[in-house]
Amino acid sequence: MVAAATFFVLTEQIGRARNDKIDLVKFWIRDRFYCMKRIIFATISSVFLLLTACSNTQDRLNQFEGYVVERVKENEREKILVVSGITQKEALEKNLKDVAESENHNNIIWFVNEENSFKGIQKGEKVIVWWAPQMHNMPSIITLLAEKVEVIKKLKE
């Protein structure tokens, strides 16, 4: 009888140990699964953030196309007056006063820049200027900080 009871106790302990090992393996597999899910989520999130941060900044910039009517330099800052909806001939003949009287103010923008982005740009050239979106007062002629400028039609010499 004692032998049977001892055998029963030993069998029960072996069964518990076996169940504990199975539970340990289940826990280990479940823990690795959740760990892998976190790693995959972190990787996908990192790639998404990297692609978003490295996207072209021109996508987030506004652009304005027109002819340069005036170019001035004041206090180490360059300014160009860009007017859309006019011809190259009009850009060469007119000045600020003329375009302010004859053109819609939505078609006239002063652009400023401290980085010499306007170097080499002359009156009468057609340009595209990009700037970061910002609030501005209407209906006067607005002044915006140019992020980038590109000449698309050079002045014929």
Side-chain angles (χ1 to χ4, degrees):
M1 179 102 170
V2 174
T6 306
F7 177 75
F8 179 73
V9 170
L10 286 175
T11 310
E12 188 177 314
Q13 287 177 350
I14 291 171
R16 268 195 233 139
R18 193 174 290 150
N19 286 340
D20 288 345
K21 285 182 183 178
I22 292 171
D23 289 342
L24 184 63
V25 170
K26 285 180 181 177
F27 174 76
W28 183 83
I29 291 171
R30 187 177 57 230
D31 186 50
R32 294 296 166 242
F33 175 72
Y34 288 125
C35 184
M36 287 303 294
K37 278 177 53 177
R38 282 184 251 144
I39 289 172
I40 290 170
F41 176 75
T43 304
I44 291 172
S45 298
S46 298
V47 168
F48 177 75
L49 287 174
L50 183 66
L51 291 175
T52 303
C54 294
S55 68
N56 192 351
T57 57
Q58 283 185 343
D59 295 341
R60 294 184 298 258
L61 298 177
N62 292 333
Q63 71 179 30
F64 188 77
E65 182 177 324
Y67 286 96
V68 177
V69 174
E70 284 194 21
R71 182 174 176 225
V72 295
K73 189 169 189 171
E74 60 181 43
N75 301 333
E76 300 299 318
R77 289 174 66 156
E78 291 182 291
K79 290 175 69 173
I80 58 172
L81 181 67
V82 181
V83 181
S84 69
I86 63 172
T87 64
Q88 187 174 35
K89 183 180 177 186
E90 290 174 312
L92 289 167
E93 294 172 353
K94 293 184 176 186
N95 59 21
L96 171 62
K97 184 179 178 188
D98 297 334
V99 294
E101 291 173 355
S102 65
E103 296 296 322
N104 182 347
H105 285 211
N106 292 335
N107 296 339
I108 307 169
I109 300 178
W110 277 108
F111 288 101
V112 296
N113 189 278
E114 297 172 355
E115 301 171 0
N116 292 329
S117 294
F118 305 142
K119 189 175 185 175
I121 295 177
Q122 299 174 12
K123 179 176 178 166
E125 292 183 331
K126 191 169 190 175
V127 296
I128 298 177
V129 184
W130 287 269
W131 78 93
Q134 61 189 33
M135 296 297 294
H136 51 273
N137 296 329
M138 288 297 214
S140 66
I141 299 173
I142 60 174
T143 302
L144 300 169
L145 181 63
E147 298 286 331
K148 180 184 173 192
V149 63
E150 178 182 324
V151 177
I152 56 173
K153 186 175 182 183
K154 287 272 191 195
L155 186 62
K156 295 177 184 175
E157 296 184 27

